Amino acid sequence: MPIHLSHWGAFEAESDGYALTSVRPWKQDPDPNHIYRNVASAQHHPARLLRPAVREGWLRNGPGGKNRGDEPFVEVSWERAIGLAADELERVYRERGSSAVYGASYGWGSAGRFHHAQSQVHRFLNVLGGYVAGRGDYSYGCSGALLPHVIGKSPGDITAQATSWDVLEAETDLVVAFGGLSEKNSSSGPGGISRHRGREAIVSARKRGCEFVSISPIADDTFPEAEAEWISLRPGTDAALMLALAFVLDAEQRVDLDFVKRYTSGFEVFREYLRGDRDGQPKSPEWAAAITGLQATSIRSLARKMSGRRTMINLSWSLQRQQHGEQPIWLGITLAAMLGQIGLPGGGFSHGYGCTADIGMPRRVASAPSFSQGKNGESNFIPMARIADMLLHPGEEYDFDGQRLKYPDIELVYWCGGNPFHHAQDLARLRQAFKAPGTVIVHEQFWTATARHADIVLPATMTIERDDFGAGRNDPMFFPMPALTVPAGEARDDYAIFSALASSLGRGDEFTEGRSVDQWLHHLYDRWRSRLREAGHNVVDFETFWASEGIQIPVDEPDQVLMRDFREDPVGSPLGTASGRIEINSETIAGFDYADCPGHPVWLEPDEWNENRESRYPLHLVANQPKTRLHSQLDVGAYSQESKVHGREPVRMCSLDAAARGLADGDVVRIYNDRGSCLAGLVVSDALREGVIQLSAGAWYDPDPEDPSHCRHGNPNVLVADRPTSRLSQATTGQHALVEVEKFTGELPRLTVLGPPDFVPYRPGTDGGTP
Ligand code: PGD
């Protein structure tokens, strides 16, 4: 039976050529999840995009976004759609140049190396002259700016180089997981995952006697098999807890001063802050207790427990998806340095196991082949999460990582493989921002909110409808992915769409290099095979690979340990920081003079947190990753839909908070703050700390036509502020917001986002063309 790869695992599928008739997880996956069940049920769902469509007002009046998101669509032929998009691209590049085209097109897209949507769109726009790019990402954008200054590595480096599960299993005595070690987030990995390994490793570490501590406002943020001690702190206060742990290590002479001296720089400056030498406030457990809501005694005993044994500090990505997100990451690394175990098997830190399925998989000798994006001729970029600011404030200046930058003036937005109306914050504001450019072009598989906020919408195939090959970011398995069915409706591969557009614009040869999909797959594979052969690794030829159920890419070092080289030889293998060491104090960051990210890690109060329970919005919303889908992908699929309550996204709240509001399990509730509101279905669960609720991201945004700040479906990003982490990183703070919850007693509104939008027939003469 053919094996197919998805971000959430490999699966075996049978098909009748039109649809999948049977799907089950790959036999060799020790711990599959159920997200694969969304695939077959979504493929022919009414929300599937079947034909090219153009917003009626854009078709009639041309560029201009005033009514974008409010008007019906006209379905048109492929020929017409390609003609309209090509003419508009030609106009914008000619009149305004590449600095007026925003093509970052952020998003996870689908598994598959050739049809990788972002590679496709970037290559296409590069052929036309380039585009304004987005730097960083929504996953770990804050760490992306910070870590190069602190450890001279990107988050991508440290996820690929993370100490392997095998080593953790054999060596670690204590895992202290800030932000947990999540079972649900371990379901998926970018580009695909073959064998989900986390649970096995935790089970066998536990059997050996390894202990786990889960620090999170949500009890089930760590695999149940870890049997973790739950330290339930107030959301957003990990930095204060970490400072107090560091304070105890220092006060009780538990700091490995030899390690600190040899491998770090700036410890003394940080220690003055810790002891309160400059501000008069020692960062003691008593000080942290008032901020975190924990007992000073439990902070002290955790610090003692961490010293003197092999301790792995796990820093989840969620910690930095909040205001001042740099601080807990920097402090977690500082704590690991003070314990002196960085570079030792099973000790040190990770960022972070449990965030995606591939962290803890040792590096391969080479990544799988990929489609070249070419060279971007445009130098303008924005930090990825600043899209609404860019569209609303062209020409405005802002700070980013020591630079003073200016937002470009965008006329055309091109999106392929992402869903900004899922991933961005303050969606009512984003909706306003999306009205600014002249034209928005989107390739999508479904009528997501992003497709509904576009002018030209082009239907793309799903992975099961096209030939490709796939491998995850760190995963050693490389799978052939032959198409399992024909495309739904008139959907085309992104490659076919870009080839047609490039050819209309006279750039076809540059984009395709004269190759069909099949020729590209052969070409990319053969080139990759020769490179591996030169490096001494033999892999089978393309035909053998294509007929196989996947091949193994050799792994470099199964017992990989993060920063082992640096520990063994700090002079010969220095870090890429200014000092070549771990920077506990960074002169570079201090030189930027940012009050919201000073030169060493500190506690900074966020603008929004629930210290004051008397506030109008006393509940702390954690808007984290969902369990039954990846981000917003395939929200219409069966597994995702089964989790809904009265069709709304589930929100979890503890029994005390529910009782205080007269709410019961299964109620439809309204969650609100000054930015917006949404409906959700209540699940009462004492896995939540009192005063905290959890509503995962990813329910497709279904705005009330009268009030776009109200989502009828349960998308938390109407509630979360579009506030940057700091001037250093300008990343998302999507994880938290303050809210209140009440029972919804009105008539339950119908959801419109789970079907197609309104279509109107083409009215000849409106633009002189034909449909
Ligand atoms: P996805 O739902 O994966 O979200 O944001 P991202 O935009 O990546 O969107 C992918 C889209 O691509 C889907 O709509 C899918 O249909 C489409 N697609 C898939 N394959 C293809 C293809 O081959 N071609 C084309 N044309 N389209 C395709 C994720 C982002 O959300 C991330 S990474 C994180 S970590 C953030 N997390 C949070 C969070 O924790 N909390 C909040 N509040 N907000 C977040 N937003 C961020």
Side-chain angles (χ1 to χ4, degrees):
M1 194 186 282
I3 314 286
H4 199 80
L5 187 63
S6 71
H7 293 310
W8 42 89
F11 58 84
E12 304 174 355
E14 278 168 317
S15 125
D16 59 12
Y18 168 77
L20 301 185
T21 50
S22 137
V23 186
R24 57 174 175 257
W26 186 40
K27 322 187 226 349
Q28 293 187 38
D29 186 346
D31 187 21
N33 57 74
H34 287 269
I35 302 180
Y36 73 90
R37 288 180 44 219
N38 289 332
V39 179
S41 44
Q43 186 187 14
H44 295 292
H45 190 276
R48 186 71 200 271
L49 241 159
L50 298 175
R51 279 170 289 280
V54 182
R55 177 166 65 86
E56 190 194 25
W58 193 94
L59 196 56
R60 185 180 308 123
N61 307 318
K66 201 162 45 71
N67 299 324
R68 187 168 291 132
D70 301 325
E71 288 183 332
F73 285 87
V74 179
E75 292 191 311
V76 299
S77 68
W78 267 111
E79 193 191 356
R80 181 101 183 90
I82 294 290
L84 289 168
D87 287 351
E88 180 59 356
L89 282 158
E90 190 280 325
R91 176 190 77 82
V92 174
Y93 274 96
R94 176 173 38 78
E95 289 178 4
R96 304 276 303 275
S98 54
S99 67
V101 178
Y102 183 65
S105 201
Y106 177 74
W108 270 49
S110 293
R113 300 288 292 180
F114 173 70
H115 290 291
H116 178 240
Q118 268 197 45
S119 303
Q120 293 282 342
V121 64
H122 292 166
R123 180 184 172 95
F124 169 69
L125 295 175
N126 285 338
V127 160
L128 300 188
Y131 59 93
V132 173
R135 195 162 286 179
D137 52 45
Y138 279 78
S139 293
Y140 40 45
C142 175
S143 295
L146 174 77
L147 292 180
H149 296 294
V150 175
I151 52 165
K153 292 176 187 291
S154 70
D157 293 336
I158 60 168
T159 53
Q161 297 165 16
T163 298
S164 73
W165 282 120
D166 286 357
V167 173
L168 184 136
E169 210 174 295
E171 304 284 350
T172 306
D173 297 325
L174 174 69
V175 177
V176 180
F178 290 93
L181 209 167
S182 169
E183 177 182 23
K184 66 179 170 50
N185 299 349
S186 297
S187 61
S188 301
I193 189 79
S194 58
R195 299 178 179 91
H196 291 81
R197 175 85 180 85
R199 193 185 311 270
E200 286 185 331
I202 287 167
V203 167
S204 77
R206 187 78 196 99
K207 250 192 212 146
R208 192 181 40 78
C210 175
E211 287 180 52
F212 291 80
V213 175
S214 181
I215 299 170
S216 166
I218 304 178
D220 51 15
D221 261 351
T222 293
F223 278 93
E225 289 78 3
E227 300 172 307
E229 176 193 348
W230 180 28
I231 296 195
S232 163
L233 86 177
R234 189 175 278 154
T237 62
D238 298 78
L241 169 60
M242 289 166 167
L243 280 164
L245 294 171
F247 179 92
V248 177
L249 296 182
D250 176 43
E252 299 187 359
Q253 284 89 45
R254 292 172 187 269
V255 179
D256 184 339
L257 291 172
D258 290 340
F259 183 93
V260 166
K261 192 162 166 224
R262 189 149 185 237
Y263 298 100
T264 73
S265 81
F267 179 66
E268 290 72 24
V269 185
F270 169 70
R271 192 165 54 183
E272 286 169 13
Y273 169 75
L274 206 55
R275 293 176 175 179
D277 293 350
R278 278 172 277 136
D279 61 2
Q281 176 60 69
K283 309 304 173 296
S284 64
E286 288 68 24
W287 165 81
I291 297 171
T292 57
L294 301 173
Q295 300 286 329
T297 46
S298 32
I299 300 176
R300 223 169 239 113
S301 70
L302 177 61
R304 290 174 186 153
K305 195 170 177 171
M306 289 167 75
S307 85
R309 48 169 151 175
R310 195 53 61 86
T311 298
M312 174 64 78
I313 296 176
N314 191 43
L315 305 168
S316 100
W317 298 351
S318 60
L319 297 179
Q320 47 89 68
R321 239 178 266 136
Q322 45 190 286
Q323 199 181 10
H324 313 133
E326 293 85 356
Q327 308 310 319
I329 305 305
W330 204 346
L331 279 163
I333 295 171
T334 302
L335 267 178
M338 291 169 78
L339 292 172
Q341 295 179 10
I342 294 175
L344 288 181
F349 73 95
S350 159
H351 186 32
Y353 300 117
C355 294
T356 52
D358 57 343
I359 299 172
M361 286 184 147
R363 257 170 307 172
R364 307 156 301 184
V365 294
S367 52
S370 59
F371 189 45
S372 162
Q373 302 188 8
K375 199 166 158 18
N376 190 351
E378 172 58 48
S379 57
N380 252 303
F381 71 92
I382 57 162
M384 194 63 85
R386 300 275 54 84
I387 175 163
D389 287 348
M390 170 186 72
L391 295 175
L392 291 168
H393 305 294
E396 193 170 293
E397 291 193 357
Y398 64 100
D399 290 306
F400 174 60
D401 199 7
Q403 304 168 67
R404 190 88 188 138
L405 301 171
K406 201 186 261 188
Y407 289 119
D409 189 357
I410 298 299
E411 174 64 4
L412 187 143
V413 170
Y414 210 120
W415 225 289
C416 175
N419 187 359
F421 281 89
H422 148 61
H423 66 234
Q425 284 59 59
D426 199 345
L427 293 182
R429 181 169 182 263
L430 182 74
R431 202 166 175 278
Q432 263 326 102
F434 252 66
K435 291 180 186 284
T439 298
V440 177
I441 305 178
V442 167
H443 297 196
E444 246 300 347
Q445 300 164 336
F446 294 90
W447 278 108
T448 61
T450 298
R452 289 162 197 260
H453 287 83
D455 304 315
I456 302 178
V457 186
L458 304 173
T461 48
M462 293 171 71
T463 60
I464 55 174
E465 300 163 347
R466 60 199 184 203
D467 286 338
D468 206 342
F469 42 51
R473 184 176 51 178
N474 297 327
D475 195 295
M477 282 303 294
F478 183 26
F479 293 98
M481 297 168 62
L484 301 172
T485 72
V486 294
E490 296 176 20
R492 289 187 182 176
D493 298 349
D494 294 305
Y495 179 69
I497 303 172
F498 288 127
S499 302
L501 282 170
S503 144
S504 281
L505 291 160
R507 302 287 175 87
D509 289 347
E510 266 174 85
F511 181 75
T512 66
E513 296 180 25
R515 292 190 185 93
S516 64
V517 172
D518 189 44
Q519 287 166 329
W520 269 113
L521 295 181
H522 275 84
H523 171 73
L524 294 173
Y525 185 91
D526 289 346
R527 219 176 40 176
W528 176 76
R529 184 174 176 236
S530 328
R531 271 207 313 272
L532 280 185
R533 196 185 296 131
E534 278 162 29
H537 305 287
N538 270 326
V539 287
V540 295
D541 64 18
F542 182 82
E543 277 64 33
T544 313
F545 163 71
W546 196 249
S548 76
E549 292 193 349
I551 62 171
Q552 194 95 20
I553 307 176
V555 160
D556 255 341
E557 203 189 337
D559 59 347
Q560 169 174 298
V561 171
L562 179 67
M563 292 166 72
R564 175 161 33 201
D565 294 358
F566 171 63
R567 185 180 188 104
E568 284 173 358
D569 184 6
V571 178
S573 308
L575 299 179
T577 55
S579 62
R581 296 167 173 213
I582 299 166
E583 302 225 340
I584 296 177
N585 182 66
S586 160
E587 294 297 336
T588 312
I589 295 181
F592 299 157
D593 201 21
Y594 297 152
D596 54 8
C597 189
H600 62 75
V602 294
W603 160 249
L604 294 169
E605 234 177 63
D607 289 349
E608 243 176 276
W609 71 312
N610 66 2
E611 186 199 30
N612 176 7
R613 298 294 305 280
E614 304 306 311
S615 104
R616 259 195 327 141
Y617 302 118
L619 294 172
H620 199 121
L621 165 69
V622 175
N624 61 359
Q625 303 293 345
K627 177 177 177 208
T628 56
R629 58 182 177 262
L630 168 68
H631 309 312
S632 70
Q633 293 199 26
L634 310 180
D635 187 24
V636 291
Y639 185 48
S640 184
Q641 288 298 311
E642 282 164 19
S643 73
K644 309 268 173 176
V645 179
H646 300 291
R648 319 292 136 164
E649 187 65 14
V651 57
R652 295 198 298 166
M653 171 188 269
C654 75
S655 45
L656 278 173
D657 285 327
R661 289 162 180 78
L663 301 173
D665 198 79
D667 280 350
V668 174
V669 295
R670 179 176 165 268
I671 311 174
Y672 62 97
N673 62 18
D674 287 337
R675 279 178 294 273
S677 58
C678 68
L679 299 184
L682 187 65
V683 175
V684 175
S685 161
D686 287 331
L688 275 286
R689 181 189 155 89
E690 195 187 341
V692 175
I693 65 166
Q694 179 230 328
L695 175 68
S696 292
W700 289 1
Y701 172 54
D702 199 332
D704 182 331
E706 305 302 318
D707 173 13
S709 72
H710 177 68
C711 172
R712 298 174 287 198
H713 189 189
N715 186 323
N717 278 328
V718 290
L719 299 159
V720 180
D722 188 12
R723 176 190 292 126
T725 39
S726 72
R727 290 200 281 166
L728 181 88
S729 53
Q730 294 282 359
T732 179
T733 55
Q735 200 66 190
H736 292 160
L738 288 188
V739 297
E740 181 52 292
V741 176
E742 66 182 11
K743 189 164 176 157
F744 177 75
T745 49
E747 194 182 326
L748 208 52
R750 193 177 65 84
L751 296 181
T752 56
V753 77
L754 304 186
D758 290 337
F759 293 118
V760 289
Y762 179 71
R763 278 179 269 158
T766 48
D767 72 334
T770 52

